[in-house]
Amino acid sequence: MNPEKDFAPLTPNIVRALNDKLYEKRKVAALEIEKLVREFVAQNNTVQIKHVIQTLSQEFALSQHPHSRKGGLIGLAACSIALGKDSGLYLKELIEPVLTCFNDADSRLRYYACEALYNIVKVARGAVLPHFNVLFDGLSKLAADPDPNVKSGSELLDRLLKDIVTESNKFDLVSFIPLLRERIYSNNQYARQFIISWILVLESVPDINLLDYLPEILDGLFQILGDNGKEIRKMCEVVLGEFLKEIKKNPSSVKFAEMANILVIHCQTTDDLIQLTAMCWMREFIQLAGRVMLPYSSGILTAVLPCLAYDDRKKSIKEVANVCNQSLMKLVTPEDDELDELRPGQRQAEPTPDDALPKQEGTASGGPDGSCDSSFSSGISVFTAASTERAPVTLHLDGIVQVLNCHLSDTAIGMMTRIAVLKWLYHLYIKTPRKMFRHTDSLFPILLQTLSDESDEVILKDLEVLAEIASSPAGQTDDPGPLDGPDLQASHSELQVPTPGRAGLLNTSGTKGLECSPSTPTMNSYFYKFMINLLKRFSSERKLLEVRGPFIIRQLCLLLNAENIFHSMADILLREEDLKFASTMVHALNTILLTSTELFQLRNQLKDLKTLESQNLFCCLYRSWCHNPVTVDFLAEVDKLVQLIECPIFTYLRLQLLDVKNNPYLIKALYGLLMLLPQSSAFQLLSHRLQCVPNPELLQTEDSLKAAPKSQKADSPSIDYAELLQHFEKVQNKHLEVRHQRSGRGDHLDRRVVL
């Protein structure tokens, strides 16, 4: 500093003392400056006051010499004390050089800057609020200062500033929020602690409504919640808890839509505390905002569904996620199926992720944890809602179905998540069938694939969805399939036996191209398609047929009409080219038909044959059952049949043996079985049973002898057994030809089945 330079109105002694290295001498100079400025104030000499402040700022506080900077700081503080209540007129000139010194490399100088600013603020009080942003910015930097003395000085200044804000009603929250949003993403734990403490203070001031600006800082708060420091995490928990309490008290003033995507992102984090807190917020949002959250359903499901498969280590998160899932599901109503098309001139809201979160560096990005992949999640899990003021809220299923399809396709996903996905699909088919059937073609393959799941519960839920698809009226299309004409339309009330001419109109190359059965009462356009694809899956996965086939078919008989299922499968197998599979499938169906309690009514119907419908059903089944007669392939099958005859379920058949006159073919058939068997235990069992058959002559009475034999009524329905036997011979010859072709033994090609 040039000693010859004129610093008037500062005297040479004051200038010399301000540049001294000793604090005591600089303090004496500050007292002289205070006295001088008081005189100028008394004289109302603003020009000289500004000149003194400018000199202290430019020549001292911003000087290259460290002792001069220290003198300038204490001099500016002295000016503020002298100005008193008038200091507000010169605050900008007083504060700016002091804040510049906050960045000084010398920690002692930074401490003196804190001290000077403390004195300036203490005098000005509420007048500093227009300069709050620059003060807050400077303090946020000092909060992370490595020097403990500087940090201690900044804390004193921080408390003073908080007191001023608390007691004032002129705080400009609008201009402060952008700065708060920027600073909240600091990674320094002391800066984070500073930010959290200020949010707590602002939240406690009655005249400051920070809830209106919560969307601006919510993402940053959740990031601070993941801090390594326990104290900071605890403080952040308190802040978030206070905000949530206020949201519950005043839900009508909360901007739920603007915060939904923020919660979706943090519900997918790997930090347990963040995930649990975000999930709790999501639960409250869904329950408080209701249908306002529907546009975000796909993102919510992306976050919630994986949590349902958590184990007991994350039991709390799993329980809250389950509540979120159930609450969201309840928001979907049948009215959503009616809001099908946008009204003219109404534009559908498009997802714009950039609007969902504040723009900052260091925000969490990439694929959320637990989602299908990063590209999928970035496109689906974040949506910007349509305006919350728009009514009504429209449910758009595209994103929801995509999320559900993705999770169901992921073989690594947990069982409970897969069950939840299937429950969602079933719920959507019940509540919004018209919209859902637009997605059925894309869902159908994965639903069929899910039948191979290891869990019985998953398979059961999957069958419920498939059954709903196959039976829902919304799935009925005007296109009857490849067949048309009144004579080819299957009635829902009667089962028709397919004639050769009618069957010939179908695509006979396997089962490809079949959309509806010519003889089966399809429940809707998807029923017969379901049956075809189910049999195709059994054909390609024989283990599935062996292990889960009976379970699947029995459950379908409960969920749908058992007669329709057996009728349609028999009709499809009639045209099956893979004869080995047809034989295996018929064997499985026959075992299910004979042994399952679910098919009791169907067995009675086939036993009585009193109606044309039951006779037609018998004929249809017989034609397919010819692929697997129990007396051709293995004697073991005959043995099993004998054991079945002796079980309780065939009591009615054994009683029919008493009526010899009306059941001659039954007795002959049993004797035929006896002749096929070697003299084994099964032979002895059946032989003893036939010995109990009474002599028909002993059962005749005088009235029966006198009674003339009555023929069947002309209009009574009957079965053409001759035609069925011809069909049986034809099928068996076809099986024999295939077997001989495979074995290559041409010398036995003339062998035929003799009935």
Side-chain angles (χ1 to χ4, degrees), residues 99 102 132-143 183 194:
L99 290 175
F102 277 10
F132 177 81
N133 281 8
V134 292
L135 295 175
F136 182 89
D137 183 53
L139 277 175
S140 66
K141 297 175 182 177
L142 290 185
R183 288 285 179 256
F194 171 78

Side-chain angles (χ1 to χ4, degrees), residues 142 178 269 272 371 375 443 446 557 567 577 597 656 661 728:
L142 290 185
T269 185
D272 289 353
S371 62
S375 61
L443 288 170
I446 185 61
C557 289
H567 201 304
E577 292 184 340
T597 56
Q656 286 180 349
K661 183 177 180 180
F728 175 80

Side-chain angles (χ1 to χ4, degrees), residues 378-452:
S378 62
I380 295 297
S381 64
V382 178
F383 278 78
T384 294
S387 173
T388 54
E389 298 178 359
R390 180 186 299 172
V393 175
T394 303
L395 177 69
H396 302 291
L397 286 180
D398 293 357
I400 297 177
V401 172
Q402 188 175 355
V403 171
L404 297 176
N405 199 341
C406 176
H407 282 82
L408 197 59
S409 304
D410 187 358
T411 55
I413 209 72
M415 180 189 73
M416 297 307 298
T417 296
R418 296 170 72 82
I419 291 174
V421 169
L422 292 168
K423 286 182 177 179
W424 260 101
L425 290 173
Y426 182 78
H427 182 74
L428 291 174
Y429 271 110
I430 293 294
K431 299 296 183 180
T432 59
R434 286 195 304 155
K435 287 185 177 181
M436 279 302 295
F437 268 96
R438 299 174 182 173
H439 303 279
T440 298
D441 289 339
S442 62
L443 288 170
F444 209 69
I446 185 61
L447 289 172
L448 287 170
Q449 183 180 342
T450 306
L451 292 175
S452 301

Side-chain angles (χ1 to χ4, degrees), residues 154 175 195 222 247 290 338 353 356-357 361 514 745:
S154 69
S175 62
I195 293 292
F222 273 104
I247 287 173
E338 299 173 2
L357 294 176
E361 296 181 359
L514 290 176
R745 292 179 296 176

